[in-house]
Amino acid sequence: MSVPRFTRPKTPASDSPSPYLYVANCGPAVGLSYDTIASVFNTFGEVKGIYAADESGTRVIVSYSEANSAQQALTALNRKSCADLGGRSLHIRYSVIQPNCEAESQQVNEHIPVSLLDSEVNIPGLYLVHDFLSPQEEKELLAAVDERPWISLSKRRVQHYGYEFCYGTRNVDTKLHLGELPSFVSSVLERISLFPGLNSSTSILLDQLTVNEYPPGVGLSPHVDTHSAFEGLIFSLSLAGPCIMEFRRYLDGSWVPDAASSAYTKVENVVNCSNLVRRSLYLPPRSILLLSGEARYAWQHYIPHHKVNHVVDHG
């Protein structure tokens, strides 16, 4: 029996009642087993299952047999400290099961051509620069990173500088500044100011850095980086090895500028899952990727969970 897939809620909890709850600040990564979570939510009715909402280990889906049970649990636990769950304050919203998108499943499993150049993927706002660092610079940068302490997540290790990204809320606390970015990235920051695709009037202020270490076979789930946490430009520097990054967009959705700010509002309708476009790009070691504009806001990006990637250069 396959595990059901749930959409992340996009409206306030009171707008879309269902038997399924999206529960943040709750999961194995914060020391709570699924059995412990189930024992708490079972007090409100029959729980059919507890599922990981994503790969962070800090968000789960609680599936009830009846919507009334979910409503009681949400009323009793949302934004309140729960002693039986280590005193954690849960953030709960309703969720819904994704439609059985057979067409999407077939597309995701199909091999798609891997592009070697940004021009080949044809996504506005996406730029890739090869050999952004020299092999010696890469070696020195990796050594400097390894001298700093790591934070262990469920499948990878991370380091945060400037501001810490909170995986439970998918955002940063702007009131909690960790300090200036480390000196070992100074030369990288200087070089970024000359990045292609940026016009001379573009002001770049980089004040947040996340270092991710991905072991072989560990990937990254499809997502669009939180708008308020990362704003308009996302730079990604690849070190120590290559990877294949994929991009996908639902054509039924749209992205529009927000007149009140410099951000963008993404509007998606994923009911028609067959209307999906995918691109794949090879990121060699020492290359740097820029996501801006449409690439930043309209396309999800992810790293497939593959032990081995096959890339063929037809050039």
Side-chain angles (χ1 to χ4, degrees):
M1 177 178 172
S2 61
V3 175
R5 300 173 60 196
F6 298 85
T7 60
R8 187 179 180 188
K10 299 182 181 299
T11 58
S14 58
D15 291 348
S16 306
S18 80
Y20 315 111
L21 297 178
Y22 176 94
V23 185
N25 198 26
C26 183
V30 295
L32 301 176
S33 69
Y34 285 176
D35 288 341
T36 299
I37 298 168
S39 67
V40 171
F41 282 87
N42 263 321
T43 60
F44 302 98
E46 181 186 0
V47 172
K48 296 171 58 179
I50 307 290
Y51 308 103
D54 51 39
E55 294 184 350
S56 70
T58 63
R59 293 178 287 272
V60 299
I61 298 293
V62 178
S63 173
Y64 279 105
S65 297
E66 299 180 0
N68 183 55
S69 300
Q71 183 180 22
Q72 293 182 42
L74 187 149
T75 301
L77 300 176
N78 186 35
R79 299 185 180 277
K80 299 174 183 177
S81 175
C82 180
D84 293 331
L85 294 178
R88 306 195 73 82
S89 179
L90 307 181
H91 301 273
I92 307 176
R93 298 174 68 176
Y94 288 115
S95 185
V96 295
I97 292 183
Q98 288 183 349
N100 182 18
C101 302
E102 182 178 353
E104 177 187 7
S105 176
Q106 290 175 349
Q107 281 185 289
V108 170
N109 290 327
E110 289 176 354
H111 292 292
I112 60 175
V114 178
S115 301
L116 302 180
L117 302 174
D118 53 13
S119 59
E120 296 174 351
V121 297
N122 194 27
I123 298 177
L126 183 150
Y127 301 92
L128 177 67
V129 174
H130 292 240
D131 298 314
F132 185 78
L133 299 179
S134 69
Q136 181 61 31
E137 287 174 320
E138 177 188 38
K139 181 179 179 180
E140 294 173 355
L141 191 54
L142 288 170
V145 167
D146 279 334
E147 291 178 353
R148 302 295 185 102
W150 291 91
I151 299 172
S152 295
L153 302 181
S154 58
K155 293 184 180 181
R156 68 182 193 275
R157 300 192 300 173
V158 300
Q159 295 180 17
H160 297 288
Y161 300 97
Y163 296 92
E164 180 178 359
F165 183 74
C166 302
Y167 295 95
T169 61
R170 299 182 65 82
N171 212 328
V172 298
D173 184 352
T174 56
K175 297 180 180 179
L176 185 59
H177 188 221
L178 303 178
E180 300 301 320
L181 299 187
S183 59
F184 60 73
V185 294
S186 297
S187 62
V188 174
L189 299 180
E190 292 175 2
R191 213 170 299 176
I192 280 179
S193 65
L194 303 175
F195 203 90
L198 302 178
N199 58 53
S200 57
S201 62
T202 302
S203 177
I204 302 177
L205 175 61
L206 300 179
D207 58 2
Q208 198 276 343
L209 168 66
T210 299
V211 180
N212 290 284
E213 180 191 59
Y214 294 98
V218 173
L220 182 66
S221 297
H223 69 285
V224 173
D225 289 299
T226 307
H227 296 188
S228 58
F230 301 106
E231 298 186 355
L233 302 177
I234 302 292
F235 291 92
S236 180
L237 179 62
S238 299
L239 301 174
C243 80
I244 292 176
M245 180 169 284
E246 295 192 9
F247 305 85
R248 72 183 187 187
R249 179 178 181 181
Y250 295 94
L251 296 184
D252 291 335
S254 63
W255 69 291
V256 294
D258 184 349
S261 71
S262 60
Y264 289 79
T265 301
K266 180 169 67 70
V267 181
E268 273 191 352
N269 173 15
V270 297
V271 174
N272 181 8
C273 296
S274 63
N275 207 2
L276 177 70
V277 175
R278 295 171 63 221
R279 301 283 189 268
S280 185
L281 181 62
Y282 178 74
L283 307 180
R286 304 184 303 281
S287 66
I288 189 168
L289 178 74
L290 167 61
L291 300 180
S292 63
E294 181 178 325
R296 160 74 173 96
Y297 294 106
W299 292 75
Q300 293 180 334
H301 60 276
Y302 56 102
I303 302 173
H305 301 262
H306 294 161
K307 290 291 185 181
V308 178
N309 288 309
H310 299 282
V311 179
V312 179
D313 185 358
H314 298 286

